[in-house]
Amino acid sequence: MATSIVVVGVGGQGVLTLARWIGEASLSEGYDVRIAEVHGMSQRGGSVEVHVRFGKVVYAPIVEEGGADYVVALEAVEALRAFRYLKPGGVLVVNKRVIQPPGRWISEEELLGSLQRSGVKTYIVPAADVARELGSVMYENAVMLGFLSQLLGLPMPPSLDDRNREAFRRGARLPV
Amino acid sequence: MRLLLLGNEAIAYGALASGLAVATAYPGTPSTEIVETLVEFRDRFVHWASNEKSAFELAYGAAVAGARSLTAMKHVGLNVAADPLHSAAYTGVEGGFVIVTADDPWMHSSQNEQDTRWYGVQAYVPVLEPSDPAEAYKYVKLAFDLSEKLRHPVILRSVTRVSHVRAPVEVEPPAPPKWGRFTRDVKRFNLVPANARELRKALVEKWEKIAELSADFITVEGSGDVFIVTTGVAYNYVKEALSRLRVDATVVKLGMSVPVPRSLRNLVGGEAVVVEEGDPVVEVQLRSLGVATRGKLDGYFPRYGELDTGKTALGLSKALGLPYSPPQPPKPPIEPPPRPPSLCPGCPHMATFYILRLATAGLSPVWSGDIGCYSLGINLGQQDLITHMGSSVGLGAGIAVAGKHFVVATVGDSTFYHAVLPQLVDVASRSIPLLIVVMDNAYTAMTGGQPSPSRAIPVEKITEALGLPTFVIDPVEVKKSVEVVKKAVEIVKSGRPAVVVSRRPCALVAVRKARRAGLQLPRYQVDPDRCTGCGLCYNLLKCSAIYRRPDGKAYVDPALCVGCGVCAEVCPFNAFKPEGRREAWLELWQQA
């Protein structure tokens, strides 16, 4: 049985990087892994969606709608868009951050509140706040990864630099 | 060495391990990273060509001379190279020649879906189809060996979910490049009718042999009277769908999907379910062998988009008459508002579009667009047609001669060199009234910033040589540029063509360079006392770093602003204020 994760966010947020880290961590645990990336058009400020599957043996590189164990959103509007991937009992992990879509302003309270009331098991991770404490939004993804490591049972991937390692540890200590 | 590689990287490493000497490409998603990976290897000849035909010819010529060569492109790119592809099968090659095409089912970054395997059928070129990165690595090596053995070109067909999937791949070190030496053979390499007729006969005979060889690429798994024939990425979905459906079946995987092996008919006993990504290419071939099939032709699997495990399980359950209930996706608590891809914050050509709108006010132009970043001008209402590389000037000229429209043809610099030069000759020689705007950002930016020829060969040198009146602007100087473009507009109104070259490099590249140089970018903020909420910046300029607040006033996201200052240039109320100075930044940017 493979674990299926859909990682989403906005172009430029480092969605690919986070997905790759999950992949590296899985590989270092001896799992087979597939990461289905998107390039080109989707890099330009649009929605980005990367699928990660790991397990003893993995065949399919993409997750079907209603097939994800986890949806990990680096941004809350994109969490709504990826909602359809969740399978019954699937878990949503959302970075507490909103990047406003063009032409409409949704308040953070409205958005996060609606996710928490949706009936889906939802974790809201203050990764943006922790990253700011560490000095840069660049560390958001490592905080998210640290938090996820608690749910997925995966170790820290080997390629993180010192600042990201610190961010990972902070994420790994956030209460689940 | 076991690495977590992208399918395209795996193809590059496989080619290196095969003694690749020459690699060429024009970048295009999802094929770009193949040659991007190879560019690092300086002991080979690796080249970003001006278009796929040029790329194909370079690699084909090298293979004719005996070198191991590879050319890579996306599916629509092969159309550009279709002419030499068909000749390559007639002459064959001496060194291994592998054509990698990456198809893009469901058009993640393309203008149409196209199944490259039809070209294999039509051009008599065998097609190998890997199912994942590890197999892509293996198959590129097989493709080189097969090509050299047959002295024939071989297509390696990838799709988005092979090229852009990362998976563990066992990699060997690169082998020394295998160069070549041309041996004269006039009857073989001169495709004049007398020679080509002989070669055509030989090609048809060779094709029968290749169809037999195709059997070497079959793998059979499982058991049972139900036969499922599959190939490429579809194999993965079949494997997972079968375990979900709990059914015993014999899975026949074709490594070579064109031509299908004749022996397949005996193997599957006259009936099979066919699962493949793209068009029913294997299915049509199987029916021509007299095998009864259930697949896309009868609607068991969709004829558009990508397969996944769910669609495959559903199709198999219908084809085999098995019970299956697909998972029900949950509904989000709020319907997510769309977030379409848009020009990057600080993209200089967001300003070019704005300048064009002001300079053509009242003319209601037809906006004839092109492939690449500037197709995103669609969000600005400034792209009426985008059909293929080069359509801007090509179709724009047609619209101009068809009626009394004022036509603006917008094209990026890379596309300009790729597909617009011959059309320009026609526009210039017949003096077709058209405003041609080249948005020069010095890179092939949408595919990640490969070099374009524009710096070595400035666009205006070419258009001036063709006798086209040409104006050069820097788009961040909005007001000045509007006045210059108006001069070009007057020329077109008088019934002649004119060219505007709007030049400023890609903001993404410039920001990266500034960061490396330790330069602090200026950031713009809105003075809420001055902002009247007129909406010029977020409704007309449409900078994607500027939002409309609930009270109608503008807000700049500091994480997105790159300090181009165009908002300050266009705001009539002087509401945008910079933090930091702009001059040094604009200077470095222009050199990026």
Side-chain angles (χ1 to χ4, degrees):
Chain A
M1 270 298 284
T3 302
S4 296
I5 308 169
V6 175
V7 187
V8 296
V10 176
Q13 275 199 293
V15 179
L16 259 68
T17 306
L18 177 57
R20 210 169 298 167
W21 282 342
I22 299 172
E24 280 177 26
S26 320
L27 199 64
S28 73
E29 284 293 274
Y31 289 117
D32 192 11
V33 60
R34 299 287 181 275
I35 308 170
E37 303 185 350
V38 282
H39 295 216
M41 194 72 109
S42 327
Q43 294 176 2
R44 313 294 145 185
S47 312
V48 177
E49 183 186 293
V50 180
H51 298 196
V52 185
R53 304 187 71 230
F54 68 90
K56 214 165 165 236
V57 183
V58 182
Y59 289 102
I62 53 175
V63 180
E64 68 200 283
E65 293 188 5
D69 300 286
Y70 298 91
V71 164
V72 178
L74 287 174
E75 189 280 326
V77 178
E78 295 311 309
L80 294 174
R81 209 181 312 286
F83 216 75
R84 66 186 196 282
Y85 282 111
L86 285 164
K87 71 179 185 195
V91 173
L92 182 64
V93 184
V94 192
N95 183 13
K96 193 179 164 211
R97 173 163 159 71
V98 179
I99 298 176
Q100 296 295 340
R104 182 161 161 204
W105 186 282
I106 310 183
S107 78
E108 193 174 292
E109 299 72 40
E110 181 193 357
L111 198 49
L112 298 177
S114 79
L115 290 171
Q116 270 169 327
R117 290 188 300 271
S118 66
V120 164
K121 174 77 186 157
T122 300
Y123 295 100
I124 291 167
V125 186
D129 299 336
V130 175
R132 215 167 294 126
E133 283 169 34
L134 291 167
S136 168
V137 288
M138 305 277 283
Y139 304 117
E140 256 176 35
N141 296 348
V143 178
M144 286 294 282
L145 185 70
F147 183 83
L148 280 170
S149 69
Q150 305 182 65
L151 302 178
L152 300 174
L154 290 175
M156 190 190 298
S159 72
L160 299 195
D161 62 23
D162 286 347
R163 299 299 297 273
N164 278 317
R165 296 178 90 83
E166 174 56 23
F168 179 98
R169 286 189 202 105
R170 292 285 296 271
R173 286 199 298 268
L174 288 171
V176 175
Chain B
M1 200 170 36
R2 195 158 178 255
L3 302 173
L4 194 55
L5 289 187
L6 213 53
N8 283 342
E9 293 168 343
I11 290 168
Y13 283 109
L16 289 167
S18 309
L20 173 94
V22 174
T24 61
Y26 180 78
T29 311
S31 72
T32 310
E33 298 78 11
I34 300 165
V35 161
E36 202 152 75
T37 305
L38 293 170
V39 162
E40 309 299 321
F41 292 81
R42 299 295 165 85
D43 57 337
R44 337 254 152 168
F45 182 91
V46 183
H47 179 61
W48 287 117
S50 59
N51 72 17
E52 292 83 359
K53 179 172 185 283
S54 180
F56 189 104
E57 287 162 346
L58 246 162
Y60 173 27
V64 159
R68 283 204 159 188
S69 71
L70 174 149
T71 186
M73 56 202 68
K74 66 186 293 181
H75 58 309
V76 285
L78 190 59
N79 298 323
V80 180
D83 202 358
L85 169 72
H86 288 72
S87 292
Y90 277 55
T91 65
V93 288
E94 282 298 294
F97 178 33
V98 178
I99 303 147
V100 187
T101 56
D103 290 359
D104 187 17
W106 209 225
M107 300 160 280
H108 296 281
S109 202
S110 304
Q111 65 269 39
N112 57 43
E113 283 189 16
Q114 179 184 310
D115 194 320
T116 287
R117 298 175 300 169
W118 293 123
Y119 268 122
V121 175
Q122 145 124 346
Y124 291 75
V125 177
V127 180
L128 299 188
E129 229 184 313
S131 62
D132 63 14
E135 206 168 63
Y137 179 86
K138 193 173 111 189
Y139 276 23
V140 75
K141 294 172 71 184
L142 290 173
F144 272 112
D145 291 342
L146 183 70
S147 171
E148 217 157 85
K149 178 173 152 194
L150 295 169
R151 295 191 182 183
H152 201 77
V154 171
I155 292 174
L156 185 78
R157 182 225 189 189
S158 181
V159 294
T160 302
R161 304 309 184 174
V162 173
S163 277
H164 284 168
V165 165
R166 225 168 257 280
V169 182
E170 191 66 42
V171 173
E172 301 146 283
K178 186 175 173 274
W179 304 97
R181 203 177 167 76
F182 180 67
T183 308
R184 190 168 281 110
D185 185 346
V186 175
K187 280 201 179 343
R188 180 177 172 197
F189 292 118
N190 283 340
L191 293 180
V192 293
N195 295 340
R197 284 176 195 133
E198 291 307 312
L199 292 168
R200 171 76 187 178
K201 286 186 218 159
L203 177 60
V204 172
E205 280 169 32
K206 199 180 193 180
W207 194 240
E208 291 305 313
K209 286 206 192 90
I210 296 173
E212 279 171 35
L213 271 178
S214 179
D216 298 346
F217 292 84
I218 297 178
T219 43
V220 180
E221 290 174 21
S223 60
D225 300 338
V226 173
F227 284 89
I228 297 170
V229 176
T230 187
T231 179
V233 74
Y235 163 78
N236 301 296
Y237 305 126
V238 168
K239 290 291 282 187
E240 294 207 356
L242 284 178
S243 72
R244 186 180 296 183
L245 294 171
R246 296 170 204 283
V247 62
D248 287 331
T250 306
V251 177
V252 181
K253 178 175 173 294
L254 305 181
M256 187 189 283
S257 52
V258 176
V260 298
R262 302 265 185 259
S263 58
L264 207 53
R265 191 178 164 178
N266 307 327
L267 184 66
V268 304
E271 197 179 19
V273 180
V274 183
V275 190
E276 55 192 317
E277 183 89 298
D279 286 330
V281 177
V282 166
E283 200 181 352
V284 165
Q285 292 180 88
L286 274 180
R287 285 203 180 175
S288 78
L289 292 180
V291 176
T293 63
R294 273 166 284 166
K296 295 196 173 205
L297 290 171
D298 298 315
Y300 289 108
F301 302 95
R303 287 285 291 263
Y304 52 82
E306 298 184 286
L307 289 173
D308 60 24
T309 302
K311 288 178 200 167
T312 304
L314 186 66
L316 284 174
S317 70
K318 283 192 284 183
L320 301 172
L322 300 166
Y324 174 69
S325 50
Q328 290 304 313
K331 287 236 175 327
I334 302 175
E335 204 46 50
R339 194 193 297 277
S342 55
L343 290 168
C344 302
C347 173
H349 300 300
M350 180 172 55
T352 307
F353 277 117
Y354 185 78
I355 291 160
L356 289 173
R357 217 147 1 126
L358 295 191
T360 61
L363 293 170
S364 47
V366 174
W367 302 96
S368 184
D370 221 307
I371 302 295
C373 292
Y374 313 119
S375 61
L376 299 173
I378 201 162
N379 300 329
L380 305 167
Q382 281 169 281
Q383 295 291 356
D384 296 322
L385 318 92
I386 308 165
T387 58
H388 59 276
M389 292 286 278
S391 64
S392 56
V393 177
L395 298 192
I399 291 165
V401 299
K404 295 240 168 281
H405 295 293
F406 186 92
V407 181
V408 184
T410 56
V411 59
D413 53 300
S414 187
T415 308
F416 177 85
Y417 292 100
H418 175 287
V420 161
L421 292 178
Q423 286 91 317
L424 270 186
V425 171
D426 292 319
V427 166
S429 68
R430 286 297 298 267
S431 196
I432 298 171
L434 188 67
L435 179 62
I436 296 160
V437 181
V438 184
M439 301 191 191
D440 182 356
N441 70 358
Y443 292 91
T444 312
M446 190 164 252
T447 49
Q450 292 74 28
S452 118
S454 73
R455 216 170 312 220
I457 311 159
V459 170
E460 59 271 25
K461 295 260 195 251
I462 292 171
T463 55
E464 280 164 2
L466 289 170
L468 295 166
T470 302
F471 303 85
V472 180
I473 60 169
D474 178 350
V476 300
E477 297 172 342
V478 177
K479 291 182 189 114
K480 195 171 144 195
S481 297
V482 171
E483 294 314 309
V484 177
V485 175
K486 277 182 178 166
K487 290 184 204 158
V489 167
E490 285 308 312
I491 294 174
V492 177
K493 276 164 75 181
S494 77
R496 289 179 297 136
V499 178
V500 171
V501 181
S502 180
R503 177 168 296 134
R504 184 162 277 275
C506 173
L508 291 177
V509 178
V511 168
R512 267 200 298 273
K513 292 201 169 163
R515 219 172 262 152
R516 244 175 271 141
L519 184 84
Q520 194 68 37
L521 307 187
R523 307 242 185 243
Y524 284 76
Q525 286 301 313
V526 181
D527 178 348
D529 294 336
R530 284 179 178 267
C531 178
T532 65
C534 73
L536 197 74
C537 52
Y538 52 74
N539 284 332
L540 290 175
L541 180 65
K542 286 201 175 179
C543 173
S544 45
I546 305 176
Y547 304 138
R548 181 188 185 278
R549 281 183 187 277
D551 64 2
K553 295 192 179 189
Y555 168 75
V556 182
D557 186 333
L560 297 177
C561 176
V562 302
C564 70
V566 168
C567 53
E569 279 241 359
V570 306
C571 177
F573 304 103
N574 217 7
F576 289 91
K577 295 289 175 220
E579 292 163 17
R581 290 175 61 82
R582 183 177 176 225
E583 290 75 18
W585 162 224
L586 288 187
E587 179 65 30
L588 181 143
W589 188 346
Q590 193 61 283
Q591 306 307 319

